[in-house]
Amino acid sequence: MRVAQMNWMQIEAQAKRDDRCVLPLGCVEQHAYLSLATDAILAEKVANDAAEPLGLPVFPVLAYGMTPSFAAYPGTVSLRMSTYVAVMEDILEAFYRSGFRRIVLVNGHGGNSPIMTLATEWLGRRSDASVRLHNWWAGPRFQAAVQAVDPAASHASWMENFPWTRLEGVVMPDASKPPFNAALYQAANPAKRREILGDGNFHGRYERSDNEMLSLWQVGVEETQAAMTENWP
Amino acid sequence: MRVAQMNWMQIEAQAKRDDRCVLPLGCVEQHAYLSLATDAILAEKVANDAAEPLGLPVFPVLAYGMTPSFAAYPGTVSLRMSTYVAVMEDILEAFYRSGFRRIVLVNGHGGNSPIMTLATEWLGRRSDASVRLHNWWAGPRFQAAVQAVDPAASHASWMENFPWTRLEGVVMPDASKPPFNAALYQAANPAKRREILGDGNFHGRYERSDNEMLSLWQVGVEETQAAMTENWP
Amino acid sequence: MRVAQMNWMQIEAQAKRDDRCVLPLGCVEQHAYLSLATDAILAEKVANDAAEPLGLPVFPVLAYGMTPSFAAYPGTVSLRMSTYVAVMEDILEAFYRSGFRRIVLVNGHGGNSPIMTLATEWLGRRSDASVRLHNWWAGPRFQAAVQAVDPAASHASWMENFPWTRLEGVVMPDASKPPFNAALYQAANPAKRREILGDGNFHGRYERSDNEMLSLWQVGVEETQAAMTENWP
Amino acid sequence: MRVAQMNWMQIEAQAKRDDRCVLPLGCVEQHAYLSLATDAILAEKVANDAAEPLGLPVFPVLAYGMTPSFAAYPGTVSLRMSTYVAVMEDILEAFYRSGFRRIVLVNGHGGNSPIMTLATEWLGRRSDASVRLHNWWAGPRFQAAVQAVDPAASHASWMENFPWTRLEGVVMPDASKPPFNAALYQAANPAKRREILGDGNFHGRYERSDNEMLSLWQVGVEETQAAMTENWP
Amino acid sequence: MRVAQMNWMQIEAQAKRDDRCVLPLGCVEQHAYLSLATDAILAEKVANDAAEPLGLPVFPVLAYGMTPSFAAYPGTVSLRMSTYVAVMEDILEAFYRSGFRRIVLVNGHGGNSPIMTLATEWLGRRSDASVRLHNWWAGPRFQAAVQAVDPAASHASWMENFPWTRLEGVVMPDASKPPFNAALYQAANPAKRREILGDGNFHGRYERSDNEMLSLWQVGVEETQAAMTENWP
Amino acid sequence: MRVAQMNWMQIEAQAKRDDRCVLPLGCVEQHAYLSLATDAILAEKVANDAAEPLGLPVFPVLAYGMTPSFAAYPGTVSLRMSTYVAVMEDILEAFYRSGFRRIVLVNGHGGNSPIMTLATEWLGRRSDASVRLHNWWAGPRFQAAVQAVDPAASHASWMENFPWTRLEGVVMPDASKPPFNAALYQAANPAKRREILGDGNFHGRYERSDNEMLSLWQVGVEETQAAMTENWP
């Protein structure tokens, strides 16, 4: 259930029935030829697709995340760590105040994953709560399925090219990007990182067939569903 | 143009053509029987409807805002002032880095309006930029149109009940909420504020005809368009 | 009672008798030909004049406030939002620790009014307290009285020219400042704002007779007194 | 010259003539039988008395300071270090923007003196500026004069009992407070500190003759004047 | 070269010869039967052993890090994210001011690795600098060597039991800890995490022979040396 | 007992036996010809030498401190006040969580002493705890011993030249540095401060005999021991 399609009375009743809620974490950043909002779109959609059958409320995506690496690409918005930490603390606290005790962060952007540190700090203060950070694209089942299709898969490659992240009228290069020197890249400033990355695809082809993508998506949805239901402390 | 439907190369080109961009500011908070995301939905839609014909890029809505007054209502998420200030500073800086110099904040939530103070601080450091905060529902033309329909209009009343903020299956009370003691309310803590407000509508009827609402919307869109085009310093 | 004329034993006793206290909020910023401390002077005086007969303690004025708009005028001191929020939180907490539970912020500067958001956040943590922000010059009774005298009234115009804010030896222009383009002004950076405003008066004449001013003051004092006594939650 | 008696045009002209300005730093905290605002009163008065003949502008006192030690005494307001640091940075920056390059902080409260660390940080960024922190009561000349009168002198003792800090109708104890165990006191929490201190006087008699006090004051004013004029880098 | 064995003149000369410097990042946290300072000890030693032959200066270890997960274990000190971010920014800035442009963070604690996000933010402001975060124990060569010895290796297991982290008089259990449910653990609060982990070893035996450990160390040192010399942007 | 030579079980047991623990506070900053880590070395060693016979646990030195004055000297690392305050709060909280209630900060750097203000703030929240800040070199007994040897003693002079802070191969000037104009120095920015100080010694000879130094050290250790045992509230 999208929280955007609920009112406060419904949330109040829901939190009494089930103390779980979901927050998708996205990012607005370069994704080569794909949507700048790719991570936000994917996180929100996979969260909603997974939560719908479970009847869990999914709050609106936090569209902005941490991505200092891509700061030299126009359209990229990066929140400072100190900012993101504050945002997350406020949101967790609000969920808690609303009656939720098990919170699933469905994260669509690698750069956001440090936020689990903040969530753990917060759990030290709210000791009857639990927080799960689910990096949906990095789950073992989804990654196995990706590898089975094509191991050359990465940020802004075919792996993120779904019908809902590709752009009308934008033609994908018919090529496979070779990998770059990761060690050098990781020590570089944002301008040099852009120089190294060029169009922004990290590695691999730019698109694959819809058949392949929709099967993959299904795996992602199911693994995300498992994250919402299994292994709660 | 929704930035979610653009990639970074398109933004780069766009910023060279026109240095304006748009950010809708929303909130997730009690809206009586309406969607918890009412302010986010309205801000994003009015911004997109207004910007589309102008060809201006609209970034994804910042869905969360400042609403400590409603903290006692489940489903309400309030960012602290110190947090919101940090978020806005990061986003403005990112727009600037992307090449934008005239930034329109299309705000859908009264509680967010203090953020203009931060924007002015930021303009002190980025002296070739301009920021306009447009509280879309509070513009003189929109307010005149509202008053012409029904002066008893407020937060969570009919005035915010559009086809895109009302909820399937939720029936509106057929009544008009009387005003409350505003002075008392404004000095009260969140729990007492909930007590005073009850369902959350501030004042007035809960719904009016779609005809009336769609005409109103048109006024809002046009006034927002004017904010994007006129009176730039 | 001015807290500056009390010692801690007297405050301790007072807080037991009556849980109200008062803090005037000022600003040091351009006021055209008037004192840079106009807002601090007026807030402190109106608070003291109002509180004296009620026997309520008035803490020393917080002389500095938020005024990024006037940063290009020498003598203007603007605290960042993040700073002001921190100051106010500390002061509210100190009043609470002193035994006060109903706190009146008598504010003399429009730019400070966003601070009510912080006060409401704080009320979420201190749920047996109340905070009233009284923008003394913006109360309906005071504003009606102003309009009755001369509707062309604004920041740094005659409306703030009292015997206690005008400066020895400074002659006021014998003119009435025409209004400026507010939409343009509000999107502009501090340097452009100074260009637009010139001497700093927003609109209207620079002075009126003492008779008129003293009558007005009386209205302001009475309305401030009402804010201290009526409509507590 | 009190900045409260100047307008922005006068400050602009003044900063061009002489790049020095003065800010008194006070505190609102227990001072035994004396005014809670003792430190603010003394800092502002000594700054004004010293600056007047020199023609230097004195900004309104920052009335609130850092005093966590006295937090258990009603009427005491303590800003957190993180807050005070932010306030001071904003004020220094505003003075700089106004054209001032040599800034004298006339401090009336021992607990504020750590702020020189922040001022030095700031000087690392504003390398054509200088900041002097003058703890007016702790200058060697003033201290010598105090010792000559009565070496048993301390916070809230006779040493701070001037005609402008004592309170109407409050009778001073005719006694001399013995010293307390400073090592124990300094490791104690605020509640225990109050227990140890009792009325709040640290040590010594509560009052001495006006003759003695006015002579002392003269020494303080002269030493503060020297701090404004001598030894600038 | 340990910076602790250098004076400022030597650092000044060194930074002119070679713009690289090294900072070891540690943590004080539970390591089962091993030293609470294990991560600090290892990071500092591997950094020094690697830098010595290269003649690179190694600053004193930042002994404290981010470890909210272990907050329920006595002796664990966890800096908040917001704190650690501030510390790192100050240190990077100081290295830059000292003349260094290529900075190697030799990190000994997994919980610290989010700090690369801050370093990348910083590189956005200091665009002629580079920062490498080297998680010394997680390098591919070291990990391969570990796996070759015994794949059951983890936090506080034999893998961290070197002659310089084990404690006099503390006998290791002669057992191999089975793995725990990682998904459940990662959503749990600190108290539950302690319950799950028990003595604190994550998985595997508690000690292995010194021969094995010293060979491993050599691999770690060499890989750290490579991080200091290769692949600079 | 060095905490680096203990594990968490030992700290848990220790905190039950005795609720005292020790944290040395250092700094990495210019010390003329001596080690950049002089203050960290001395604080840690004096703390360990003093605590060892008492069986009190000494946490690893916080090597970095506040030293904006020396920012123009290469190798100097200065944490901002806002940073240091955050670090200290986190560490105090961690000690408290570990079961310690009496905390001794053995400080080796004058620039760190403002941190007692933060500790007192913290004691306002943790009212069953005590914190002692011991500036080991500034204790009356140590200072008397220094004066007896040679009153010309200061930062980076012979007074800090112990066998464990001097550097191999560095020859000390055979001279006595004359004092500088302290008033001028204290108002100056970091670059000017370096100009004034030259090599960094404040005043006095650069070395004295080991006999004298070891006797002095003994006094420092004993006075630090007293700070750990006497006058607890």
Side-chain angles (χ1 to χ4, degrees), chain D residues 42-59:
Chain D
L42 294 179
E44 192 162 39
K45 185 168 168 51
V46 83
N48 278 312
D49 288 2
E52 189 66 40
L54 303 171
L56 298 185
V58 179
F59 277 83

Side-chain angles (χ1 to χ4, degrees), chain C residues 97-181:
Chain C
R97 214 162 37 219
S98 295
F100 297 110
R101 290 297 175 270
R102 288 180 292 163
I103 297 163
V104 186
L105 305 172
V106 175
N107 181 27
H109 170 60
N112 292 341
S113 41
I115 204 60
M116 191 60 212
T117 304
L118 181 279
T120 312
E121 289 178 18
W122 182 76
L123 289 172
R125 289 192 295 282
R126 294 296 190 189
S127 61
D128 58 342
S130 302
V131 178
R132 167 153 297 137
L133 178 71
H134 178 61
N135 293 319
W136 80 269
W137 81 99
R141 286 196 250 163
F142 186 79
Q143 275 301 314
V146 165
Q147 298 298 310
V149 173
D150 178 352
S154 71
H155 171 86
S157 76
W158 66 270
M159 189 185 97
E160 306 198 282
N161 186 338
F162 289 94
W164 34 88
T165 53
R166 67 184 70 131
L167 303 173
E168 220 186 292
V170 174
V171 181
M172 294 289 134
D174 183 17
S176 180
K177 189 100 174 281
F180 56 89
N181 181 334

Side-chain angles (χ1 to χ4, degrees), chain A residues 30-32 36 73-74 194 198-199, chain B residues 7-12:
Chain A
Q30 76 84 359
H31 268 78
L36 277 155
Y73 286 93
R194 180 173 167 181
D199 66 19
Chain B
N7 60 37
W8 71 265
M9 298 87 157
Q10 293 169 321
I11 283 285
E12 187 168 62

Side-chain angles (χ1 to χ4, degrees), chain B residues 105-146:
Chain B
L105 306 172
V106 175
N107 181 28
H109 170 60
N112 292 342
S113 40
I115 204 61
M116 191 60 212
T117 303
L118 182 277
T120 313
E121 289 177 19
W122 182 76
L123 289 172
R125 290 192 294 282
R126 294 295 190 189
S127 60
D128 58 342
S130 301
V131 178
R132 167 153 297 136
L133 178 72
H134 178 61
N135 293 318
W136 80 268
W137 81 100
R141 287 196 249 164
F142 185 78
Q143 275 301 314
V146 165

Side-chain angles (χ1 to χ4, degrees), chain E residues 4 35 60 64 75 80 83 90 98, chain F residues 4 35-36 60 64 75 80 83 90 98:
Chain E
S35 166
Y64 298 95
R80 282 166 295 173
T83 301
D90 292 352
S98 296
Chain F
S35 166
L36 277 155
Y64 298 96
R80 282 165 296 174
T83 301
D90 293 352
S98 295

